[in-house]
Amino acid sequence: MSEKTILVWFRNDLRIHDNEILLEATQKASTIVPVFIFDPRYFRETIFNTKKTGGFRAQFLLESVADLKKSLQKLGGDLLVLQGNPEELIPQICEKYNVNEVYHHREVASEETDISSKVEDALWKKQINLKHFIGHTMYHKEDLPFPIKDIPDVFTVFRKKTEREGIIRPAFESPQKITVPKDLEETTLPSLEDLGAEHNRTDHRTAIKFKGGETEGLARLKYYLWDTDLLKTYKKTRNGLIGADYSSKFSAWLSAGCLSAREVYWEIKKYEQERGANDSTYWLIFELLWRDYFRFMFKKHGTQFFMEGGFKGKENEHAENQEELFEKWKNAETGIPFIDANMKELNLTGFMSNRGRQNVASYLVKDLKVNWTWGAAYFEEKLIDYNPASNWGNWAYVAGVGNDPRENRHFNIEKQADDYDPKGEYRKLWLEN
């Protein structure tokens, strides 16, 4: 191993397991400098008058970074935690610790890739290379049966060919030892106030207490598959609305990279070997494939997912009083119990079921005729499990300007409520308090 120092820049990959940049850095360098930067751009107001990161996700992120720091310390290392713009701070850290190269995982959404480019430009001036890795998806893009530009815009076509011809690589081993510079500065985590994020009290009806970090994410994976066998019935229960266990609830840990999608895949495969494969084990992999698909679509279509016309360039109809209707939707005051219950759960917990998300999105766009991008931006602030590709990809899908081959998908909210909340228990839970 050469006398080399590599800076490992953590972003949405807050874990030790299946983390190529961390493993390779420990193999190629004598010392590494692990860094996480709280970038103020992620905590500011957006053009939609929403926050980019609300209190629930900010809290989850703080917990995830704290857990990563602890895990690195157990291996003999540490994590530098800083606040500021990465393109200013990373070159300074490189100078201070004589860093030879910087490693990071490539992102797909425009703001994230723009920040990477700024860091790359700043490092280039110092003749330091920023090495890009791919580590957020179950399938590596090189192992898909088509180049990104030719990925079908219809999921089913993509899925069939990918399941037939794509391969999923094994997960990377976890490093056993981390060596950081002897004089590595000691840093502490910022508070929610430092980040400009609000404190959210946990509502007593919260289905599951999402605590950030790899430790919690791996514990949830073990619980859902091995301790309880809940995976066996996932397909039957996944459209539930109440409680912690109707669905896997892996999404928040996947979004922050506390859980690797590939690790989840191989754990499901192990479960299938030991306890049997069925519709449910396949269905959880199917959901992970949707997650991959939206990331690949973002790589293919770029910023078009943030435009109201989507990549189809299609115009939606708007109500004249859409601002007023949007406020009612946001504040759970539409007068439609199923919609209001779901929005109340989101506002008070940072989470909403998949069934709920589809209904409130369809209602906002198709019934109230409000600009769908407002809804997507509101979810961006509120959701604990937000990631750009899944959020904006799903909203564009519901609005008919994204990946849905059916032009006029429209939920019958009354029927949905009767089908998925037949006794009204969910509505009662959230509306009678």
Side-chain angles (χ1 to χ4, degrees), residues 25 114 122 148 159 179 229 236-237 261 285 309-310 322-323 386 406:
D114 186 43
I148 295 287
R159 176 182 65 78
T179 308
D229 251 345
K236 281 194 204 79
T237 63
I285 293 168
Q322 61 170 343
E323 285 88 355
Y386 169 81
R406 283 173 288 181

Side-chain angles (χ1 to χ4, degrees), residues 375-389:
Y378 189 70
F379 269 30
E380 177 172 0
E381 175 182 329
K382 294 291 175 187
L383 282 175
I384 205 162
D385 61 4
Y386 169 81
N387 80 65

